[in-house]
Amino acid sequence: MNWIINRDENWYLGGESGSGKSVLLTAIADKDKKTEIQVNVLNKSKLKPVCLYISQWYQFKNLEGVANFYYQQRYNKQQLKDTLTVGQELALYGKENQLDFTELDQILIALNFSSFKDAQLIELSSGEHKKLQLIKAIWLKPQLLLLDQPYTGLDINSRTNLNILLDYLASQGVRFVIACSEHELPKCINKYACIENGQIKELNGVLPVVRTIPLITKVPSFLQQTPKPNADVMVKMVNVNISYGDKQVIKNLNWEVKAGEKWLLQGHNGSGKSTLLSLVNGDHPQSYANELYLFGSKRGSGESIWDIKSHIGLISPELHWYFDKEASVWQSIASGFFDSVGLFNNLGYHKTQQVNELLDYFGLTEDKNELLVNLSLGKQRLALLARTLIKNPELLVLDEPCQGLDEQQTAHFNQLIDGICSTERTLIYVSHNQQQLPQKLTHRLVLNQGEVIENSTYNLEKELA
């Protein structure tokens, strides 16, 4: 590969999921380079003489310096004092890098993050973690900033404001490479390229991804058999309230999801979507203190968390982040039968065939024995989407399911969701992107600061029109 980034250029970098975008950006930023990559910085500049890479995931540690977190930890108030607060994290970062603290408040306001200063890092959702990554990068003002999927998990307003901030940084001399599948880029982007077969291909503009491998469109046979709903009302919440100390994240919420309904759940970052879904999934301990009904039974009436999860197929950014990446692709998918993080049971013939069908559908057959951690994030997400579907659940809870996927993979997955969402299967789908939704959504719930501001029927075609 040959690539030259000149000092007056800001690049968009595209390509299929797994084409090597993250690998390339990591190599450019790697301080212990073993490749012939040269990054030249100006010593006489107001900008930091560094090349900074912002990865797709935000990595943080607890107060003991380790990152051994578990999926439900952010909902357990007994565990919330295990990490720094956002304010403490930013204070340390600013001190280490000798940054101007008067600039920080402006960045926090622009990304609507001022109210999170006292929040523990473990409390933040994936979108909020992404904002914290971006705030630190913008505050630092490096000479070269490499952004890997910077819009992932951000609400519409935050995406718009991020582009404004990036344009401002560009006017100050910061240069960018932005790897993403978005088309609404900052105005400062003036060069376009994609990675094809391990090579840089310069483009005239942002173009759709053209895949070289045909995707299977036939719905796997076992998913064509819609499971019978266990109850007429799958989820019912009556005046639900969730608080952490003085902070109330869900306020007097009423919501009913009937069998066969397909809900779009939306709201800005920090509006309470993840907390609401944790009640549906049985993961939130405060569900026992509220009037909550799941699959026809009141929460706390003798059912176990495994009874609840047996009805649900779940994917979320947090589940992906905490998942056992040392499991193989095959084991990761098969673990969905048992709602475990990793596979600890043997499968019979029919369940094995179901795993193989989904491997074929998602194009993962050749990767089935690879460790999940060794795959691109896009392929990791495909494996976990297959895990979500493997037991053919009556309720699908899909929280930003297409994060990390390219446009073709996103369309492929949503086509499958439309194909299996008959009149009896129930769906809760979370996405900030109106252009990346399945067609069969019937209702929408919108949250703002933990309160319902819209509960209505929904038609995607009318919305886009």
Side-chain angles (χ1 to χ4, degrees):
M1 178 185 286
N2 298 290
W3 192 20
I4 296 175
I5 301 175
N6 295 308
R7 195 163 296 283
D8 60 345
E9 295 173 348
N10 292 310
W11 285 80
Y12 162 85
L13 181 62
E16 295 181 6
S17 175
S19 60
K21 299 185 293 295
S22 298
V23 173
L24 175 59
L25 296 187
T26 303
I28 294 173
D30 189 359
K31 296 178 181 178
D32 301 318
K33 296 182 179 66
K34 298 179 181 179
T35 56
E36 297 179 6
I37 298 174
Q38 185 176 354
V39 178
N40 300 312
V41 296
L42 295 172
N43 292 321
K44 295 182 179 180
S45 170
K46 293 181 180 180
L47 303 174
K48 293 288 182 181
V50 296
C51 170
L52 179 65
Y53 170 60
I54 302 300
S55 66
Q56 295 191 39
W57 294 111
Y58 180 66
Q59 304 292 336
F60 63 96
K61 297 180 180 180
N62 64 16
L63 297 178
E64 296 178 352
V66 294
N68 57 340
F69 303 110
Y70 59 92
Y71 175 56
Q72 292 92 348
Q73 186 169 348
R74 61 180 295 222
Y75 307 119
N76 190 340
K77 66 180 181 180
Q78 304 300 326
Q79 299 288 332
L80 289 183
K81 302 301 181 183
D82 198 30
T83 61
L84 294 174
T85 66
V86 169
Q88 291 168 334
E89 175 82 356
L90 290 172
L92 285 174
Y93 186 77
K95 184 177 180 180
E96 289 172 359
N97 293 282
Q98 299 179 326
L99 301 180
D100 183 356
F101 279 82
T102 61
E103 296 180 350
L104 177 60
D105 285 339
Q106 296 175 339
I107 303 171
L108 292 172
I109 291 171
L111 290 178
N112 193 27
F113 211 66
S114 301
S115 62
F116 289 90
K117 284 185 177 180
D118 295 328
Q120 300 277 325
L121 296 181
I122 190 66
E123 290 182 85
L124 302 182
S125 67
S126 63
E128 291 154 8
H129 277 140
K130 175 60 69 177
K131 283 188 178 182
L132 183 55
Q133 278 183 297
L134 294 168
I135 287 165
K136 293 165 76 172
I138 293 166
W139 191 20
L140 183 67
K141 293 182 183 176
Q143 290 189 27
L144 179 60
L145 181 54
L146 311 175
L147 297 170
D148 196 349
Q149 303 294 340
Y151 304 98
T152 297
L154 298 187
D155 57 51
I156 295 173
N157 289 338
S158 296
R159 293 179 183 212
T160 300
N161 289 342
L162 174 61
N163 282 342
I164 294 172
L165 288 170
L166 295 181
D167 283 330
Y168 168 74
L169 288 186
S171 72
Q172 301 298 300
V174 177
R175 292 297 167 248
F176 299 97
V177 179
I178 300 179
C180 66
S181 57
E182 301 293 325
H183 290 190
E184 295 180 7
L185 298 167
K187 296 176 182 178
C188 65
I189 297 296
N190 54 20
K191 301 289 284 186
Y192 303 85
C194 68
I195 300 180
E196 284 188 5
N197 300 317
Q199 300 293 321
I200 288 287
K201 178 181 178 181
E202 192 163 346
L203 308 170
N204 293 324
V206 182
L207 299 176
V209 173
V210 178
R211 298 189 66 83
T212 56
I213 302 173
L215 298 171
I216 297 173
T217 57
K218 183 181 178 182
V219 174
S221 58
F222 75 93
L223 289 176
Q224 296 176 22
Q225 304 171 15
T226 306
K228 186 176 180 180
N230 191 66
D232 293 334
V233 177
M234 309 293 272
V235 178
K236 184 177 180 181
M237 301 183 184
V238 181
N239 294 326
V240 168
N241 290 277
I242 300 294
S243 298
Y244 303 109
D246 296 332
K247 181 181 178 181
Q248 192 168 4
V249 294
I250 296 291
K251 304 173 185 176
N252 299 319
L253 189 142
N254 293 279
W255 188 30
E256 186 173 274
V257 179
K258 296 179 181 177
E261 293 179 341
K262 284 75 178 171
W263 283 83
L264 174 62
L265 176 59
Q266 292 185 312
H268 61 77
N269 298 127
S271 61
K273 300 186 301 298
S274 297
T275 302
L276 179 62
L277 293 183
S278 71
L279 294 169
V280 176
N281 302 328
D283 290 321
H284 205 297
Q286 292 189 42
S287 59
Y288 295 104
N290 283 279
E291 189 174 350
L292 169 63
Y293 303 85
L294 299 175
F295 311 104
S297 298
K298 190 176 188 301
R299 192 75 170 96
S301 58
E303 80 293 347
S304 71
I305 189 173
W306 306 112
D307 293 330
I308 294 170
K309 291 183 179 296
S310 67
H311 301 284
I312 301 172
L314 167 70
I315 184 68
S316 71
E318 290 79 15
L319 179 66
H320 188 166
W321 195 79
Y322 293 112
F323 200 81
D324 180 11
K325 295 177 180 61
E326 296 301 320
S328 71
V329 170
W330 200 94
Q331 291 170 332
S332 299
I333 297 173
S335 70
F337 283 117
F338 312 103
D339 301 301
S340 57
V341 179
L343 182 63
F344 308 100
N345 301 74
N346 293 322
L347 303 186
Y349 173 79
H350 293 293
K351 288 183 177 179
T352 299
Q353 290 302 106
Q354 289 179 215
V355 175
N356 291 335
E357 279 194 75
L358 285 174
L359 284 168
D360 287 341
Y361 186 86
F362 287 112
L364 294 170
T365 300
E366 293 183 359
D367 302 300
K368 66 179 182 180
N369 295 320
E370 289 285 339
L371 294 183
L372 198 65
V373 72
N374 291 338
L375 299 185
S376 68
L377 282 175
K379 283 193 172 182
Q380 289 180 30
R381 177 52 61 96
L382 289 176
L384 294 180
L385 288 173
R387 177 187 182 273
T388 303
L389 299 169
I390 190 62
K391 63 186 177 188
N392 196 17
E394 59 193 277
L395 172 61
L396 286 171
V397 179
L398 308 179
D399 185 359
E400 296 285 358
C402 299
Q403 283 189 12
L405 304 187
D406 60 39
E407 292 181 12
Q408 184 71 17
Q409 289 170 328
T410 296
H412 188 228
F413 175 72
N414 284 332
Q415 181 184 47
L416 174 60
I417 294 303
D418 281 327
I420 66 174
C421 276
S422 66
T423 55
E424 292 188 309
R425 197 186 304 270
T426 311
L427 172 67
I428 301 174
Y429 197 107
V430 179
S431 178
H432 294 293
N433 195 332
Q434 296 291 116
Q435 307 298 324
Q436 296 182 351
L437 296 174
Q439 297 291 316
K440 290 189 176 180
L441 296 167
T442 61
H443 294 74
R444 176 163 62 183
L445 189 78
V446 182
L447 300 182
N448 181 38
Q449 296 182 346
E451 295 183 278
V452 174
I453 61 171
E454 180 184 336
N455 184 333
S456 63
T457 57
Y458 182 79
N459 185 293
L460 179 61
E461 290 185 2
K462 291 183 179 179
E463 287 287 327
L464 295 178

